Amino acid sequence: MSDFFTLTVLVAVVGSGVRLATPYLLAGLGETVGQKSGVLNLGIDGVMQLSAFSAYFVVLKTDNLMLGVLAGLAVGAVMGVFYGVITIVFKATQGISGIGIFIFGLGFSDLLFQRLVGTPKPIRQLPTIEIPFLSELPVVGEALFQHNPLTYVAFILVPVTILFLGKTTFGLNIRAVGENPHAADSLGVSVERTRYVAILIGNTMAGLAGVALVLELGIFQPNLTQGLGFIAVALVYFGSWRPSHVMAGALLYGLVNATVLQLKARNIIPLSFSELAAMAPAVLTIVALVILAQRVKGPAALTKPFIRH
Amino acid sequence: MGTSNTTKVLLEMRGITKRFPGVIANEDVDFDVRNGEVHTLLGENGAGKSTLMKIVFGLYQADEGEVLLRGEPIDIRSPSEAIAARIGMVHQHFMLVPPLTVAENVALGLSSSRRPFTDLAKVSTRISEISDAHGLAVDPSTEVWRLSVGERQRVEIIKALYRDAELLVLDEPTAVLTPQEVDDLFVILRRMVDDGRGLIFISHKLHEVMALSDRITVLRDGRVAGSTTPAEATRESLARMMVGREVRLTPHKGKVTVGDARLSIRNLTVIGDRGTPAVKNLSLDVLGGEILGIAGVSGNGQREFAEAVAGLRHTEPGGTITMDGADITTSSTRVRRNLGLAYVPEERMRDGVVAEFSVSENLVLVNHGSREFTKRGLLATGAIRRRSTEMVKQFAVKTPTIDTPIASLSGGNIQKVVMARELSASPGVLLACQPTRGVDIGSAEYIHSRLIEQRERGAATLVVSEDLDEILGLADRIAVMYEGEIVAIIDSADAKREEIGLLMAGVLET
């Protein structure tokens, strides 16, 4: 056990924790925006898988990472259009529709993979970018400033999301339609349009989360996410719909995950326990978040379709 | 705007008809408002007032007829078009977003000078200017959920003024206000009219209508039943126009000898939903043969108090509730009922009836297990049907059949079913909460007469109501509740509306 608590190992754990937190953070921030507008999307895990496959396939065929990222974003946006039609145009129950989107994403990405790829082949991974100067700082340099571009994007999106929701007119519209759509409607704010845009933002960010995951791993396999998207939805609740708290939750999840991986790699946890240990991040994070979570009420109109009366 | 244009017609509606599947909400309605006047739209629930105003505000489109604004025909298709045409509306249910600040609520939907960012500093300055000019004090940086009901209403009016509304529609704006807040509101509204604005005031409170209006138009069953002015009308004549027949507005009460206390409450403390005491060390006696009215602004502990007496809410140690000498502080609702307690709850659709059940099933909901209605452990359908038919007739419930689902009845008829069920056992103590809220005048008149009957029977009746007129008309004694305490008990013969209003607002100490 003692060789675990060395500086090198701890730096490695923090570094990989930050890296592992990236897809959770991207998906969680997007889901926060969607939920703030009053729309729950349980389907982001499926969106992530479709986007992940698209990015994987494009990179596999073109060897161009930028094209892969764009493909993943586009698929996320298209799924957002679908989800918007289902929940806003047809006003379907959000919980069930989201599960439908998840199953569709899971199954369709699997089908496409079997048909178009078959046996997994590795692709190019995202390069690590060392931020000049900062990455040379002792300890924090390696842990925080030697990551792939999407990790930086994810963390930059935290203040961007805070600013967007808190300080822009469109953010104000989103918060208003999530709390009292009738009030927004009475002032000429289009509830449908606002929610549609929020859903598009949320799904596109879920798509980017899938991209981040697959381009980090450099390989695709069916059910790549293994429920990651659902954890991201949970992080939004536990993070009380605040981007900064969602980030804290994602980091906590990433760090616990990294610790368990590190412990396994060093044989500190016996192999026979490794299945149980794999559950540890989920259990520990949820316990920690339940304890830390403030009792904050979510958007009052969350999951409620808007019907004028 | 000056007084020069006070005679101009601001809005004119001609021959408005609006149909919904199976209902004609408005039929050939003519209505107009001039600059510088308050034109009241009076009518019962369901008479078509709100529909007509939703057409003005672009939430509905009329099937027939035309709307003219400042003499020009106009087709308003959405609230934003209405706002652009300088029409403002203060909705009955406030259109506010509670977690947002006053400034954010006002800025919502407006274009910002700092796009894409909000310009809340600028909005706040303008709000303060409007506040000062119209006497609408409110802090722009406060979250709306922290505000009192009266303050929220001011925010609604500020929203309309901020958008420079020339025509303002107020849909039942006084429903949730104390009498003092109503007076303050009327002063503000008068000032707005003197500025040359036109106001449409929607209400069913007759004395307020008489106090504020320049003109009054009464709607009944979607049609204009008549137009008048406060100078020509009386409360009675307005009620007649609303209902279509003579109505007794103040119930007739005979003399009754008052007996001993049948319900005694001592040192009652009840914790509310927020975990803080909603009722504080309250003591009260209700005597046989009297109606004791509990007046107060909503949210001062009346609901928690009533639920504690009914046995639906725990009381804190130290307090006691006694009925005819029996201590029922911790008794179940069944024990209380068996001792002769009847309860007409405030939320009749939630607590008073089972919405999906039929009229008949709701009528026997309390005693369907009794010997009268069962036979070898099964419901005795024949006996239940016979008794239900009797009760429906006895309480003049308008229902197609006794098997009709209760939810399809009007508010007044649902309340009559609740009253029929609760009174059929000839209770010793009757607790009636908001007995005529949302009930038409005709049914209200009937319910009041039934409540007065209880008094003649020697029962102790406790009426909790936010409608001060109802309390003044019914009660023998009036207890005013403020912040969980009874601040005064007044004999209704000596009761003055102003004094009770001040007590309700917590302004006057006794």
Side-chain angles (χ1 to χ4, degrees), chain A residues 163-189 308-309, chain B residues 54 57-60 79-80 83 91 94-100 104-105 107-110 112 115-118 159 163:
Chain A
L163 209 63
F164 170 67
L165 286 174
K167 298 285 176 196
T168 66
T169 45
F170 198 79
L172 178 61
N173 290 355
I174 287 180
R175 285 184 288 144
V177 302
E179 291 287 347
N180 187 351
H182 297 285
D185 183 47
S186 76
L187 294 176
V189 174
R308 254 189 203 171
H309 50 230
Chain B
K54 281 181 174 167
F57 202 58
L59 288 164
Y60 293 152
S80 28
I83 292 165
H91 298 261
F94 292 156
M95 291 292 184
L96 295 170
V97 187
L100 303 187
E104 284 176 323
N105 269 283
L108 188 60
L110 291 173
S112 160
R115 275 176 57 185
F117 297 102
T118 49
K159 268 163 66 182
R163 288 158 175 80

Side-chain angles (χ1 to χ4, degrees), chain B residues 15-283:
Chain B
I16 300 293
T17 298
K18 176 70 184 173
R19 298 181 198 90
F20 293 108
V23 203
I24 300 178
N26 290 138
E27 193 173 3
D28 197 22
V29 174
D30 294 332
F31 185 77
D32 70 289
V33 193
R34 297 182 198 124
N35 287 96
E37 73 163 356
V38 177
H39 191 163
T40 292
L41 204 48
L42 178 69
E44 297 254 55
N45 291 328
K49 298 168 297 190
S50 289
T51 306
L52 193 67
M53 289 306 108
K54 281 181 174 167
I55 292 170
V56 174
F57 202 58
L59 288 164
Y60 293 152
Q61 269 71 49
D63 296 326
E64 283 163 41
E66 58 175 344
V67 179
L68 289 90
L69 192 69
R70 301 178 193 92
E72 304 283 331
I74 186 168
D75 183 22
I76 305 162
R77 305 224 132 243
S78 70
S80 28
E81 288 182 28
I83 292 165
R86 297 180 59 203
I87 299 172
M89 184 153 177
V90 175
H91 298 261
Q92 186 178 358
H93 304 288
F94 292 156
M95 291 292 184
L96 295 170
V97 187
L100 303 187
T101 64
V102 170
E104 284 176 323
N105 269 283
V106 173
L108 188 60
L110 291 173
S111 61
S112 160
S113 59
R114 290 177 57 230
R115 275 176 57 185
F117 297 102
T118 49
D119 54 352
L120 294 178
K122 223 172 175 176
V123 173
S124 300
T125 314
R126 180 89 188 95
I127 290 173
S128 302
E129 287 167 17
I130 294 172
S131 299
D132 293 345
H134 292 87
L136 294 155
V138 66
D139 174 9
S141 62
T142 316
E143 286 108 345
V144 164
W145 63 266
R146 295 179 193 273
L147 302 179
S148 72
V149 175
E151 289 172 312
R152 289 182 197 201
Q153 183 143 52
R154 278 180 234 155
V155 178
E156 285 285 30
I157 296 171
I158 288 171
K159 268 163 66 182
L161 292 176
Y162 196 100
R163 288 158 175 80
D164 200 19
E166 189 183 3
L167 171 65
L168 192 64
V169 182
L170 296 125
D171 191 357
E172 307 234 359
T174 61
V176 287
L177 303 184
T178 65
Q180 268 63 43
E181 285 174 323
V182 171
D183 290 345
D184 293 346
L185 176 69
F186 283 6
V187 171
I188 292 162
L189 296 182
R190 262 293 143 207
R191 208 179 301 171
M192 288 168 59
V193 171
D194 293 341
D195 279 352
R197 292 174 219 272
L199 247 62
I200 303 175
F201 177 65
I202 300 180
S203 181
H204 61 248
K205 292 189 180 169
L206 298 172
H207 68 268
E208 290 176 0
V209 169
M210 296 290 281
L212 183 68
S213 315
D214 294 303
R215 282 194 291 157
I216 303 164
T217 291
V218 181
L219 286 185
R220 185 171 76 232
D221 299 332
R223 270 183 258 209
V224 175
S227 286
T228 181
T229 63
E232 294 162 9
T234 61
R235 288 175 55 199
E236 285 70 22
S237 72
L238 291 175
R240 197 186 315 126
M241 275 161 93
M242 280 167 80
V243 184
R245 62 173 172 83
E246 283 298 330
V247 179
R248 190 194 295 276
L249 286 175
T250 18
H252 177 76
K253 285 171 23 183
K255 260 206 174 318
V256 166
T257 336
V258 179
D260 294 334
R262 301 197 66 173
L263 178 70
S264 289
I265 292 151
R266 290 287 172 274
N267 310 99
L268 185 73
T269 296
V270 183
I271 302 294
D273 293 336
R274 286 187 215 129
T276 50
V279 178
K280 299 166 195 159
N281 200 28
L282 183 148
S283 297

